[in-house]
Protein backbone atom coordinates (compact mmCIF):
# COMPACT_ATOMS: atom_id res chain seq x y z
CA UNK A 1 0.00 0.00 0.00
CA UNK A 2 2.91 2.36 0.65
CA UNK A 3 3.90 2.31 -3.02
CA UNK A 4 0.31 3.00 -4.09
CA UNK A 5 0.09 5.99 -1.75
CA UNK A 6 3.39 7.46 -2.97
CA UNK A 7 2.45 6.99 -6.63
CA UNK A 8 -1.02 8.49 -6.06
CA UNK A 9 0.45 11.61 -4.45
CA UNK A 10 2.97 11.88 -7.29
CA UNK A 11 0.16 11.61 -9.86
CA UNK A 12 -1.70 14.44 -8.12
CA UNK A 13 1.43 16.59 -8.13
CA UNK A 14 2.14 16.12 -11.82
CA UNK A 15 -1.52 16.64 -12.76
CA UNK A 16 -1.76 19.84 -10.73
CA UNK A 17 1.37 21.17 -12.42
CA UNK A 18 -0.03 20.20 -15.82
CA UNK A 19 -3.15 22.31 -15.27
CA UNK A 20 -1.02 25.41 -14.64
CA UNK A 21 1.33 24.72 -17.57
CA UNK A 22 -1.66 24.27 -19.88
CA UNK A 23 -2.94 27.71 -18.90
CA UNK A 24 0.36 29.19 -20.04
CA UNK A 25 0.16 27.30 -23.32
CA UNK A 26 -3.46 28.27 -23.98
CA UNK A 27 -2.42 31.92 -24.16
CA UNK A 28 -1.10 31.36 -27.67
CA UNK A 29 -2.37 27.92 -28.80
CA UNK A 30 -5.92 26.61 -29.14
CA UNK A 31 -6.96 23.46 -27.21
CA UNK A 32 -6.95 21.04 -30.17
CA UNK A 33 -3.46 22.03 -31.25
CA UNK A 34 -2.32 21.96 -27.63
CA UNK A 35 -3.44 18.34 -27.33
CA UNK A 36 -1.68 17.50 -30.62
CA UNK A 37 1.52 18.86 -29.08
CA UNK A 38 1.33 17.58 -25.51
CA UNK A 39 0.26 13.96 -25.96
CA UNK A 40 2.70 13.05 -28.79
CA UNK A 41 5.50 14.88 -26.97
CA UNK A 42 5.33 12.56 -23.97
CA UNK A 43 4.83 9.56 -26.25
CA UNK A 44 8.02 10.42 -28.13
CA UNK A 45 9.95 10.84 -24.89
CA UNK A 46 8.57 7.54 -23.61
CA UNK A 47 9.55 5.74 -26.84
CA UNK A 48 13.08 7.14 -26.67
CA UNK A 49 13.49 5.90 -23.10
CA UNK A 50 11.70 2.58 -23.65
CA UNK A 51 14.84 0.54 -24.46
CA UNK A 52 16.07 1.37 -20.97
CA UNK A 53 12.94 1.39 -18.84
CA UNK A 54 11.19 -1.58 -20.46
CA UNK A 55 14.07 -4.00 -19.97
CA UNK A 56 12.79 -7.07 -18.18
CA UNK A 57 9.13 -6.12 -18.76
CA UNK A 58 7.52 -9.11 -20.53
CA UNK A 59 4.92 -8.65 -23.27
CA UNK A 60 1.48 -10.15 -22.67
CA UNK A 61 -0.36 -9.96 -25.99
CA UNK A 62 -3.76 -10.68 -24.41
CA UNK A 63 -3.57 -7.32 -22.67
CA UNK A 64 -2.78 -5.34 -25.81
CA UNK A 65 -6.41 -4.77 -26.97
CA UNK A 66 -7.38 -3.57 -23.50
CA UNK A 67 -4.72 -0.86 -23.33
CA UNK A 68 -5.40 0.18 -26.94
CA UNK A 69 -9.06 0.61 -26.04
CA UNK A 70 -8.08 2.64 -22.97
CA UNK A 71 -5.84 4.84 -25.13
CA UNK A 72 -8.77 5.85 -27.31
CA UNK A 73 -10.18 7.76 -24.36
CA UNK A 74 -7.38 8.18 -21.81
CA UNK A 75 -5.58 10.46 -22.20
CA UNK A 76 -6.68 11.46 -25.76
CA UNK A 77 -10.33 12.39 -25.24
CA UNK A 78 -9.61 13.50 -21.69
CA UNK A 79 -6.91 15.93 -22.87
CA UNK A 80 -9.09 17.37 -25.63
CA UNK A 81 -12.05 17.84 -23.27
CA UNK A 82 -9.94 19.38 -20.50
CA UNK A 83 -8.16 21.87 -22.77
CA UNK A 84 -11.46 22.81 -24.45
CA UNK A 85 -13.10 23.26 -21.06
CA UNK A 86 -10.22 25.44 -19.86
CA UNK A 87 -10.65 27.64 -22.92
CA UNK A 88 -14.49 27.79 -22.73
CA UNK A 89 -15.09 27.96 -18.98
CA UNK A 90 -11.73 28.72 -17.41
CA UNK A 91 -9.70 26.70 -14.91
CA UNK A 92 -12.02 27.35 -11.96
CA UNK A 93 -15.13 25.56 -13.23
CA UNK A 94 -13.01 22.98 -15.06
CA UNK A 95 -11.19 22.03 -11.87
CA UNK A 96 -14.32 22.22 -9.71
CA UNK A 97 -16.35 19.79 -11.82
CA UNK A 98 -13.20 17.75 -12.43
CA UNK A 99 -13.24 17.03 -8.70
CA UNK A 100 -16.17 14.69 -9.34
CA UNK A 101 -13.75 12.21 -10.95
CA UNK A 102 -12.90 10.30 -7.74
CA UNK A 103 -16.60 9.80 -7.05
CA UNK A 104 -16.99 8.17 -10.48
CA UNK A 105 -13.80 6.17 -9.90
CA UNK A 106 -14.82 4.78 -6.52
CA UNK A 107 -18.37 3.99 -7.66
CA UNK A 108 -17.02 2.15 -10.73
CA UNK A 109 -14.48 0.26 -8.62
CA UNK A 110 -17.12 -0.87 -6.14
CA UNK A 111 -19.49 -2.03 -8.89
CA UNK A 112 -17.00 -3.35 -11.46
CA UNK A 113 -14.14 -4.63 -9.30
CA UNK A 114 -16.16 -5.35 -6.14
CA UNK A 115 -13.68 -3.40 -4.03
CA UNK A 116 -14.80 -2.85 -0.43
CA UNK A 117 -15.56 0.72 0.64
CA UNK A 118 -15.41 1.35 4.37
CA UNK A 119 -17.24 4.18 6.10
CA UNK A 120 -14.09 6.22 6.93
CA UNK A 121 -12.97 5.98 3.29
CA UNK A 122 -16.35 7.18 2.00
CA UNK A 123 -16.39 10.05 4.48
CA UNK A 124 -12.81 10.95 3.61
CA UNK A 125 -13.62 10.91 -0.11
CA UNK A 126 -16.56 13.28 0.35
CA UNK A 127 -14.56 15.61 2.62
CA UNK A 128 -11.57 15.69 0.22
CA UNK A 129 -13.80 16.43 -2.78
CA UNK A 130 -15.59 19.17 -0.82
CA UNK A 131 -12.27 20.69 0.19
CA UNK A 132 -11.02 20.66 -3.39
CA UNK A 133 -14.24 22.32 -4.56
CA UNK A 134 -13.88 25.07 -1.95
CA UNK A 135 -10.32 25.69 -3.14
CA UNK A 136 -11.21 25.98 -6.81
CA UNK A 137 -14.41 28.07 -6.59
CA UNK A 138 -13.08 31.54 -5.92
CA UNK A 139 -15.83 34.12 -6.55
CA UNK A 140 -19.56 33.93 -7.33
CA UNK A 141 -18.99 35.35 -10.80
CA UNK A 142 -16.72 32.40 -11.57
CA UNK A 143 -19.90 30.31 -11.67
CA UNK A 144 -21.59 32.45 -14.27
CA UNK A 145 -21.36 29.79 -16.98
CA UNK A 146 -22.68 26.88 -14.92
CA UNK A 147 -25.87 26.70 -16.99
CA UNK A 148 -24.02 26.69 -20.28
CA UNK A 149 -23.90 23.64 -22.57
CA UNK A 150 -20.14 23.85 -22.18
CA UNK A 151 -20.54 22.27 -18.74
CA UNK A 152 -20.69 18.96 -20.59
CA UNK A 153 -16.97 19.35 -21.32
CA UNK A 154 -15.69 19.15 -17.72
CA UNK A 155 -18.41 16.68 -16.73
CA UNK A 156 -17.42 14.26 -19.52
CA UNK A 157 -13.78 14.86 -18.61
CA UNK A 158 -14.48 13.95 -14.97
CA UNK A 159 -16.37 10.84 -16.08
CA UNK A 160 -13.46 9.64 -18.25
CA UNK A 161 -10.91 10.46 -15.57
CA UNK A 162 -13.00 8.55 -13.03
CA UNK A 163 -13.83 5.46 -15.09
CA UNK A 164 -10.29 5.10 -16.52
CA UNK A 165 -8.50 3.86 -13.35
CA UNK A 166 -10.82 0.87 -12.73
CA UNK A 167 -10.58 -0.12 -16.40
CA UNK A 168 -6.79 0.27 -16.23
CA UNK A 169 -6.78 -2.01 -13.19
CA UNK A 170 -8.66 -4.63 -15.20
CA UNK A 171 -6.00 -4.36 -17.91
CA UNK A 172 -3.20 -4.63 -15.37
CA UNK A 173 -4.68 -7.87 -14.04
CA UNK A 174 -4.12 -9.33 -17.52
CA UNK A 175 -0.81 -7.55 -18.25
CA UNK A 176 0.73 -6.41 -14.94
CA UNK A 177 3.02 -3.73 -16.35
CA UNK A 178 2.22 -0.07 -15.70
CA UNK A 179 5.00 0.95 -18.09
CA UNK A 180 3.71 -1.05 -21.05
CA UNK A 181 0.11 -0.13 -20.30
CA UNK A 182 0.86 3.59 -20.21
CA UNK A 183 3.05 3.47 -23.32
CA UNK A 184 0.45 1.61 -25.40
CA UNK A 185 -2.27 3.96 -24.20
CA UNK A 186 -0.20 7.01 -25.10
CA UNK A 187 0.72 5.68 -28.55
CA UNK A 188 -2.97 5.13 -29.26
CA UNK A 189 -3.90 8.54 -27.87
CA UNK A 190 -1.22 10.22 -29.98
CA UNK A 191 -2.69 8.66 -33.12
CA UNK A 192 -6.14 9.89 -32.07
CA UNK A 193 -5.19 13.52 -31.42
CA UNK A 194 -2.97 13.72 -34.50
CA UNK A 195 -5.79 12.32 -36.65
CA UNK A 196 -8.17 14.93 -35.25
CA UNK A 197 -5.55 17.60 -35.89
CA UNK A 198 -5.16 16.39 -39.49
CA UNK A 199 -8.92 16.42 -40.13
CA UNK A 200 -9.48 19.82 -38.55
CA UNK A 201 -6.35 21.65 -39.72
CA UNK A 202 -5.24 19.69 -42.79
CA UNK A 203 -1.84 18.84 -41.33
CA UNK A 204 -0.36 16.64 -38.64
CA UNK A 205 2.16 19.37 -37.81
CA UNK A 206 0.98 22.04 -35.38
CA UNK A 207 1.80 25.61 -36.33
CA UNK A 208 2.24 27.52 -33.09
CA UNK A 209 4.54 30.12 -31.52
CA UNK A 210 7.64 28.76 -29.85
CA UNK A 211 6.29 29.73 -26.44
CA UNK A 212 3.13 27.70 -27.05
CA UNK A 213 5.13 24.70 -28.25
CA UNK A 214 7.36 24.93 -25.20
CA UNK A 215 4.56 25.18 -22.63
CA UNK A 216 2.49 22.40 -24.17
CA UNK A 217 5.55 20.16 -24.43
CA UNK A 218 6.05 20.64 -20.67
CA UNK A 219 2.31 20.12 -20.14
CA UNK A 220 2.50 16.82 -22.02
CA UNK A 221 5.44 15.59 -19.97
CA UNK A 222 3.75 16.59 -16.70
CA UNK A 223 0.43 14.99 -17.66
CA UNK A 224 2.22 11.91 -18.98
CA UNK A 225 4.10 11.43 -15.72
CA UNK A 226 0.79 11.87 -13.91
CA UNK A 227 -0.76 9.09 -16.01
CA UNK A 228 2.27 6.83 -15.56
CA UNK A 229 2.31 7.22 -11.78
CA UNK A 230 -1.47 6.71 -11.72
CA UNK A 231 -1.03 3.41 -13.58
CA UNK A 232 1.63 2.43 -11.04
CA UNK A 233 -0.61 3.43 -8.12
CA UNK A 234 -3.52 1.39 -9.50
CA UNK A 235 -1.14 -1.53 -10.00
CA UNK A 236 -0.14 -1.44 -6.32
CA UNK A 237 -3.38 -0.58 -4.53
CA UNK A 238 -7.18 -0.42 -4.65
CA UNK A 239 -9.04 2.32 -6.51
CA UNK A 240 -10.87 3.26 -3.31
CA UNK A 241 -7.49 4.32 -1.90
CA UNK A 242 -5.80 5.72 -5.00
CA UNK A 243 -8.62 7.86 -6.44
CA UNK A 244 -9.19 10.07 -3.38
CA UNK A 245 -5.45 10.66 -2.93
CA UNK A 246 -4.95 11.58 -6.60
CA UNK A 247 -7.88 14.00 -6.28
CA UNK A 248 -5.87 16.45 -4.20
CA UNK A 249 -4.26 17.93 -7.32
CA UNK A 250 -6.13 21.27 -6.87
CA UNK A 251 -3.83 21.93 -3.90
CA UNK A 252 -0.86 21.80 -6.27
CA UNK A 253 -2.67 23.83 -8.93
CA UNK A 254 -3.55 26.62 -6.50
CA UNK A 255 -0.05 26.74 -5.00
CA UNK A 256 1.67 26.87 -8.40
CA UNK A 257 -0.90 29.35 -9.77
CA UNK A 258 -0.16 31.67 -6.87
CA UNK A 259 3.57 31.47 -7.65
CA UNK A 260 3.57 31.32 -11.46
CA UNK A 261 0.37 32.95 -12.71
CA UNK A 262 0.31 35.56 -9.94
CA UNK A 263 -3.49 35.82 -9.95
CA UNK A 264 -4.45 33.71 -6.93
CA UNK A 265 -4.24 35.08 -3.41
CA UNK A 266 -3.98 32.62 -0.54
CA UNK A 267 -7.07 33.46 1.51
CA UNK A 268 -8.79 31.99 4.56
CA UNK A 269 -11.17 30.15 2.19
CA UNK A 270 -8.29 28.43 0.41
CA UNK A 271 -6.67 27.53 3.73
CA UNK A 272 -9.99 26.06 4.94
CA UNK A 273 -10.40 24.10 1.70
CA UNK A 274 -6.86 22.80 1.99
CA UNK A 275 -7.47 21.74 5.60
CA UNK A 276 -10.61 19.85 4.56
CA UNK A 277 -8.74 18.15 1.73
CA UNK A 278 -5.95 17.05 4.07
CA UNK A 279 -8.52 15.82 6.61
CA UNK A 280 -10.21 13.81 3.87
CA UNK A 281 -6.90 12.25 2.88
CA UNK A 282 -6.22 11.30 6.50
CA UNK A 283 -9.63 9.66 6.77
CA UNK A 284 -9.02 7.72 3.55
CA UNK A 285 -5.64 6.50 4.82
CA UNK A 286 -7.13 5.51 8.20
CA UNK A 287 -10.00 3.69 6.47
Amino acid sequence: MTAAIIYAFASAGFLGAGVVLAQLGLRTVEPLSGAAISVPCFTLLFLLLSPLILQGEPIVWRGLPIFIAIGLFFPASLTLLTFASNRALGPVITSTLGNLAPLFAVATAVVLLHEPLHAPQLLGLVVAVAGAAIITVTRPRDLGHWRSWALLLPLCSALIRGVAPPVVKLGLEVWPSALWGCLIGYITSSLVVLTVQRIRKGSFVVEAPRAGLFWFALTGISNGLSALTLFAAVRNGPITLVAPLAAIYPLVTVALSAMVLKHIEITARIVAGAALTVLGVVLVLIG
Side-chain angles (χ1 to χ4, degrees), residues 224-245:
L225 291 174
S226 175
L228 180 58
T229 49
L230 179 64
F231 273 52
V234 169
R235 173 73 178 85
N236 288 278
I239 303 296
T240 50
L241 171 68
V242 171
L245 300 184

Side-chain angles (χ1 to χ4, degrees), residues 105-236:
V106 170
T108 305
V110 171
V111 174
L112 187 64
L113 303 176
H114 307 292
E115 289 189 3
L117 179 62
H118 305 293
Q121 287 178 301
L122 178 59
L123 178 60
L125 172 62
V126 173
V127 171
V129 169
I134 290 173
I135 290 171
T136 50
V137 177
T138 53
R139 302 176 299 276
R141 65 173 179 269
D142 288 331
L143 307 180
H145 295 289
W146 273 56
R147 294 182 179 180
S148 169
W149 65 267
L151 287 176
L152 291 174
L153 296 172
L155 285 174
C156 289
S157 175
L159 179 62
I160 293 173
R161 192 190 303 277
V163 173
V167 178
V168 167
K169 194 169 186 67
L170 286 175
L172 290 173
E173 289 178 356
V174 177
W175 189 352
S177 173
L179 290 170
W180 271 116
C182 188
L183 177 58
I184 293 168
Y186 256 83
I187 291 174
T188 306
S189 287
S190 294
L191 295 175
V192 170
V193 296
L194 289 175
T195 299
V196 174
Q197 168 73 11
R198 177 67 174 82
I199 294 172
R200 289 283 303 276
K201 299 295 183 180
S203 173
F204 292 112
V205 179
V206 176
E207 295 183 3
R210 289 184 179 179
L213 293 172
F214 173 75
W215 290 121
F216 271 115
L218 289 183
T219 299
I221 293 172
S222 187
N223 288 342
L225 291 174
S226 175
L228 180 58
T229 49
L230 179 64
F231 273 52
V234 169
R235 173 73 178 85
N236 288 278

Side-chain angles (χ1 to χ4, degrees), residues 3-197:
I5 293 170
I6 294 173
Y7 283 130
F9 280 134
S11 180
F14 287 124
L15 180 59
V19 173
V20 177
L21 292 169
Q23 282 299 303
L24 295 172
L26 287 169
R27 292 174 178 176
T28 56
V29 179
E30 65 175 0
L32 173 61
S33 298
I37 297 169
S38 63
V39 177
C41 180
F42 181 72
T43 303
L44 179 60
L45 178 62
F46 208 151
L47 286 171
L48 291 174
L49 294 176
S50 60
L52 296 176
I53 62 179
L54 290 177
Q55 286 185 0
E57 293 281 337
I59 297 177
V60 181
W61 294 108
R62 291 185 299 113
L64 183 62
I66 300 175
F67 289 121
I68 290 177
I70 291 171
L72 294 174
F73 299 96
F74 182 85
S77 299
L78 175 62
T79 302
L80 290 169
L81 287 168
T82 302
F83 288 174
S85 179
N86 264 324
R87 172 63 70 88
L89 300 172
V92 173
I93 296 178
T94 298
S95 297
T96 301
L97 294 184
N99 293 327
L100 296 174
L103 298 178
F104 291 130
V106 170
T108 305
V110 171
V111 174
L112 187 64
L113 303 176
H114 307 292
E115 289 189 3
L117 179 62
H118 305 293
Q121 287 178 301
L122 178 59
L123 178 60
L125 172 62
V126 173
V127 171
V129 169
I134 290 173
I135 290 171
T136 50
V137 177
T138 53
R139 302 176 299 276
R141 65 173 179 269
D142 288 331
L143 307 180
H145 295 289
W146 273 56
R147 294 182 179 180
S148 169
W149 65 267
L151 287 176
L152 291 174
L153 296 172
L155 285 174
C156 289
S157 175
L159 179 62
I160 293 173
R161 192 190 303 277
V163 173
V167 178
V168 167
K169 194 169 186 67
L170 286 175
L172 290 173
E173 289 178 356
V174 177
W175 189 352
S177 173
L179 290 170
W180 271 116
C182 188
L183 177 58
I184 293 168
Y186 256 83
I187 291 174
T188 306
S189 287
S190 294
L191 295 175
V192 170
V193 296
L194 289 175
T195 299
V196 174
Q197 168 73 11

